[in-house]
Amino acid sequence: MGSATTQALAASTQALAAASGVSIDTARELFAAARAVGDSSHLSGALADPSAPVEARQNVVSTVFGGYSQNAQSVLRTVVAERWSSAAELVDGIEELAIRATAIAEPQADIEADLFGFSRVIAANPELELALGSSLGGADARGALVERLLAGGVSAGTTLIVSSLVRQPRERRIRQLLNRAINIVSAQRGRKVATVHSATPLSDAQRSRLGAALSSRYDGEISLNVVIDPTVLGGVRVQIADDVIDGSISARLADLRQKLVG
């Protein structure tokens, strides 16, 4: 991500946070805007062109997205008023704002857990991953497949995020898309994501103790995603961003072997 994009995304995120009445419909419109901009090199080029006057870029928003809600239009006008490092990063930015809007619209829904659960289903089902990542069936077919799979099992926001992402993967793998969405939702809610690998499921008490320990260590709320991993021999392995805390027996054995060899 370029430095211009970092600043543009920060300003756009603030604009979204300042908006009142952000709803699932707002998020749906922002996802649709990301698809429209991403599908048109002419439109994305016009909106990301730093040589064009801000007013001209905002006029394009009014012309193309004039039927959207005032919330969505206001956020998009802020987006195009900023300088982005590339047209592709502009599209990524609108998509991130759509995910953040979903988290704002459904504050009580455990969207991170739902997204993580679906990512584990995909990891265990290569045929499903192939179907969702293939361009042969078309964007709407992929979105409809996700909606059928998730119907009644997760929040409306989770379904919106997943179905929107598979409609426009832009050469990204579905699990990569889901992991990015999890991190964005957690960031919007002021949390960090910890992926915990354990040979057996953690009890509620174990999750609580681990969450409290990690929250203290990282000075903030932690969202735990637990992966059952038979290769972990006792203990757990925890990853938060680039940090890895490996307290498993297998890690200690590997360390011992290394010391013996050395």
Side-chain angles (χ1 to χ4, degrees):
M1 182 186 296
S3 59
T5 291
T6 300
Q7 296 177 16
L9 188 56
S12 302
T13 300
Q14 289 176 0
L16 177 64
S20 60
V22 172
S23 65
I24 284 292
D25 286 337
T26 308
R28 186 174 289 108
E29 289 173 335
L30 291 174
F31 274 122
R35 286 196 297 275
V37 177
D39 287 343
S40 170
S41 58
H42 178 73
L43 180 57
S44 61
L47 294 178
D49 183 3
S51 66
V54 169
E55 184 178 359
R57 300 199 298 269
Q58 291 180 326
N59 285 340
V60 173
V61 168
S62 298
T63 300
V64 177
F65 304 111
Y68 284 15
S69 66
Q70 287 303 309
N71 264 342
Q73 289 191 60
S74 177
V75 171
L76 290 170
R77 281 194 292 270
T78 299
V79 168
V80 302
E82 298 298 321
R83 182 187 181 96
W84 297 82
S85 300
S86 68
E89 291 190 359
L90 166 68
V91 177
D92 282 345
I94 299 173
E95 183 180 84
E96 175 167 336
L97 293 169
I99 295 170
R100 286 179 176 271
T102 306
I104 293 171
E106 289 196 336
Q108 303 304 318
D110 197 348
I111 296 174
E112 301 107 302
D114 289 341
L115 291 172
F116 181 73
F118 190 60
S119 74
R120 301 313 300 166
V121 170
I122 291 174
N125 192 329
E127 291 184 357
L128 175 59
E129 184 171 18
L130 181 62
L132 293 177
S134 172
S135 61
L136 298 179
D140 288 340
R142 294 193 301 272
L145 173 59
V146 164
E147 289 167 0
R148 289 197 301 272
L149 290 172
L150 297 179
V154 299
S155 69
T158 300
T159 301
L160 174 62
I161 289 173
V162 181
S163 62
S164 298
L165 292 178
V166 300
R167 281 184 166 92
Q168 192 183 54
R170 302 201 307 278
E171 300 182 353
R172 299 167 296 176
R173 293 175 64 86
I174 180 62
R175 278 186 281 170
Q176 178 188 357
L177 293 172
L178 294 174
N179 287 336
R180 177 173 181 259
I182 290 169
N183 287 326
I184 292 171
V185 172
S186 292
Q188 177 62 40
R189 293 175 171 177
R191 297 196 287 246
K192 294 180 179 179
V193 178
T195 301
V196 182
H197 290 257
S198 174
T200 58
L202 300 182
S203 67
D204 290 343
Q206 288 173 322
R207 291 179 68 102
S208 180
R209 287 196 299 271
L210 179 58
L214 292 173
S215 294
S216 177
R217 176 166 179 164
Y218 287 92
D219 193 26
E221 189 176 352
I222 300 292
S223 176
L224 296 182
N225 290 331
V226 180
V227 177
I228 305 305
D229 185 351
T231 67
V232 176
L233 303 177
V236 295
R237 184 170 69 252
V238 180
Q239 181 167 358
I240 299 179
D242 293 330
D243 290 351
V244 177
I245 306 168
D246 200 335
S248 64
I249 293 174
S250 57
R252 293 195 289 272
L253 289 173
D255 183 58
L256 177 59
R257 282 195 297 270
Q258 184 66 33
K259 289 178 180 178
L260 289 172
V261 172

